[in-house]
């Protein structure tokens, strides 16, 4: 589900006409979603489904194209304090157990993170006990829910005790730990049926005068090998990879010819509120970088490019 043109965040949540993009074919359709009259979009999952919440906390999982819906327990029993119409919390959502359960994840609170799951027909959400590790980026992959800590890729294990004893378990060790002080970020993404990780780094470099007054950004791509528990260097297989705070996405430049192959796209907001953003690219093969679509106004020119649309989508 995209934003763009007249479908800006300012029109949400009561604008019921939304635009959806098929990233495999490039086809774009507009869909009326009557539920948005009295529901907010709690989160759009990586599977293309919408997680909607009503004012009283009732939660509905909706396929916006087929109109199929499933009712989930209300979130009133969880401490998602920002979850109401017009807000976007929790931080991420996905499907596990071959699509039978929905997982919600929320972080950035003093008392720690919340990770909960439920399936249609349940009376309440089940909290995952081991939530001390902050998951910096999460994704649903092959029926399971994964997240990244400072040194590992973690998975939500829902197999024990019918899910009541769900816990976080290590799925793979990172090749290089994330260094918070250096503004490192890690992003999980599916490429050609494989779970991959993009590790973005920013390091101080010496300027012409010998002082550390400049920054260099680099990206490395790893395959998360779930069989060996290791993350090993990998190729992007000709994809364009969009990374953001809430989700990441790999698309084929054969479908979107304006995009570059084997390239990581990321948006950066300017320091001054309302001054717009720029899209930074990193070419994985030669380490080259570019900055484009620099907007001096928060009102972006229309129509948006596909790079604008996808960077806005992954940022959530």
């Amino acid at each position: 589900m995209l934003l763009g043109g007249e479908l800006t965040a300012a029109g949400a949540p009561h604008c019921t006409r939304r635009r959806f993009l098929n990233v495999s074919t490039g086809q774009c359709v507009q869909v009326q979603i009557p539920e948005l009259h009295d529901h907010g979009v709690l989160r759009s999952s990586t599977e293309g489904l919408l997680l909607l919440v009503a004012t009283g906390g009732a939660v509905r999982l909706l396929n916006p194209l087929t109109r199929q819906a499933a009712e989930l327990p209300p979130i009133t029993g969880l401490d998602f304090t920002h979850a109401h119409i017009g807000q976007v919390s929790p931080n991420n959502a996905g499907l596990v157990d071959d699509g039978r359960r929905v997982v919600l994840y929320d972080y950035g609170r003093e008392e720690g993170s919340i990770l909960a799951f439920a399936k249609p027909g349940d009376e309440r959400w089940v909290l995952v006990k081991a939530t001390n590790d902050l998951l910096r980026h999460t994704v649903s992959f092959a029926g399971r829910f994964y997240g990244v800590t400072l040194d590992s890729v973690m998975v939500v294990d829902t197999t024990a005790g019918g899910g009541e004893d769900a816990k976080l378990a290590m799925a793979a060790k990172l090749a290089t730990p994330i260094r918070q002080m250096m503004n490192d970020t890690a992003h999980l993404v599916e490429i050609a049926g494989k779970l991959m990780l993009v590790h973005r780094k920013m390091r101080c470099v010496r300027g012409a005068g010998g002082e550390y007054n400049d920054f260099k950004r680099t990206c490395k791509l790893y395959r998360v090998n779930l069989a060996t528990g290791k993350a090993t260097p990998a190729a992007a297989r000709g994809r364009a990879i969009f990374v953001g705070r809430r989700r990441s996405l790999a698309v084929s430049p054969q479908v979107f010819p304006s995009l570059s192959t084997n390239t990581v796209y990321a948006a950066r907001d300017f320091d001054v509120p309302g001054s717009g953003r720029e899209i930074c690219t990193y070419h994985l093969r030669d380490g080259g970088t570019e900055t484009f679509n620099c907007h001096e106004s928060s009102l972006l020119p229309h129509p948006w490019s596909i790079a604008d649309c996808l960077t806005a989508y992954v940022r959530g």
Side-chain angles (χ1 to χ4, degrees):
M1 185 173 69
L2 302 177
L3 295 177
E6 72 281 8
L7 305 182
T8 62
H14 300 297
C15 175
T16 62
R17 182 166 60 92
R18 297 299 174 94
R19 186 175 296 137
F20 289 81
L21 176 69
N22 185 323
V23 295
S24 298
T25 65
Q27 181 183 10
C28 193
V29 297
Q30 295 194 40
V31 178
Q32 290 284 351
I33 307 175
E35 288 84 354
L36 294 184
H37 279 299
D38 52 7
H39 287 71
V41 180
L42 184 66
R43 178 59 49 214
S44 57
S45 76
T46 54
E47 295 81 9
L49 305 177
L50 298 181
L51 199 62
L52 305 177
V53 60
T55 305
V59 178
R60 175 178 297 175
L61 189 66
L62 174 70
N63 184 324
L65 302 182
T66 67
R67 307 298 305 154
Q68 289 180 298
E71 304 299 327
L72 295 167
I75 60 172
T76 50
L78 300 176
D79 188 20
F80 292 141
T81 54
H82 302 290
H84 57 273
I85 291 179
Q87 298 290 339
V88 283
S89 181
N91 300 103
N92 217 333
L95 301 182
V96 295
D97 298 342
D98 297 325
R100 291 190 296 268
R101 301 179 193 228
V102 176
V103 168
L104 302 179
Y105 179 68
D106 193 35
Y107 62 86
R109 56 185 67 248
E110 293 182 359
E111 62 273 24
S113 303
I114 289 181
L115 202 158
F117 64 90
K119 64 181 183 298
D122 284 352
E123 295 182 356
R124 61 182 178 87
W125 292 87
V126 177
L127 293 179
V128 174
K129 294 179 180 179
T131 56
N132 293 328
D133 290 323
L134 173 63
L135 302 181
R136 299 173 182 279
H137 191 274
T138 59
V139 68
S140 290
F141 173 75
R144 307 189 79 182
F145 194 72
Y146 295 86
V148 184
T149 65
L150 290 177
D151 60 2
S152 304
V153 176
M154 308 294 288
V155 61
V156 179
D157 184 0
T158 62
T159 59
E164 293 291 336
D165 296 323
K167 61 182 180 179
L168 283 176
M170 189 178 74
K173 200 75 173 176
L174 297 187
T176 305
I178 300 172
R179 299 172 63 182
Q180 284 182 289
M181 298 301 293
M182 295 297 181
N183 291 324
D184 286 8
T185 61
H187 311 265
L188 293 171
V189 61
E190 181 177 351
I191 300 179
K194 306 294 183 182
L195 183 61
M196 314 288 268
L197 181 138
V198 178
H199 190 170
R200 301 174 66 222
K201 302 178 182 180
M202 185 172 69
R203 298 290 182 265
C204 294
V205 296
R206 293 182 184 273
E211 299 180 350
Y212 288 97
N213 57 6
D214 202 357
F215 294 93
K216 180 180 180 181
R217 296 180 182 272
T218 61
C219 286
K220 287 189 176 180
L221 182 66
Y222 299 88
R223 178 190 171 187
V224 181
N225 192 320
L226 302 175
T228 63
K230 297 180 180 179
T232 55
R237 302 192 180 191
R239 300 302 200 275
I241 305 172
F242 288 80
V243 297
R245 292 173 297 190
R246 302 187 186 277
R247 59 175 72 89
S248 297
L249 181 70
V251 299
S252 172
Q254 292 181 345
V255 178
F256 305 106
S258 61
L259 302 179
S260 300
T261 61
N262 304 303
T263 299
V264 176
Y265 288 76
R268 182 178 74 87
D269 290 327
F270 293 123
D271 294 333
V272 180
S275 59
R277 70 170 187 270
E278 61 185 12
I279 300 176
C280 305
T281 65
Y282 182 89
H283 301 287
L284 292 166
R285 286 183 173 174
D286 59 15
T289 60
E290 294 177 278
T291 301
F292 65 99
N293 280 14
C294 182
H295 305 295
E296 296 181 356
S297 170
S298 59
L299 298 176
L300 304 183
H302 304 304
W304 283 19
S305 69
I306 188 61
D308 281 319
C309 289
L310 294 181
T311 50
Y313 169 75
V314 297
R315 287 175 67 81

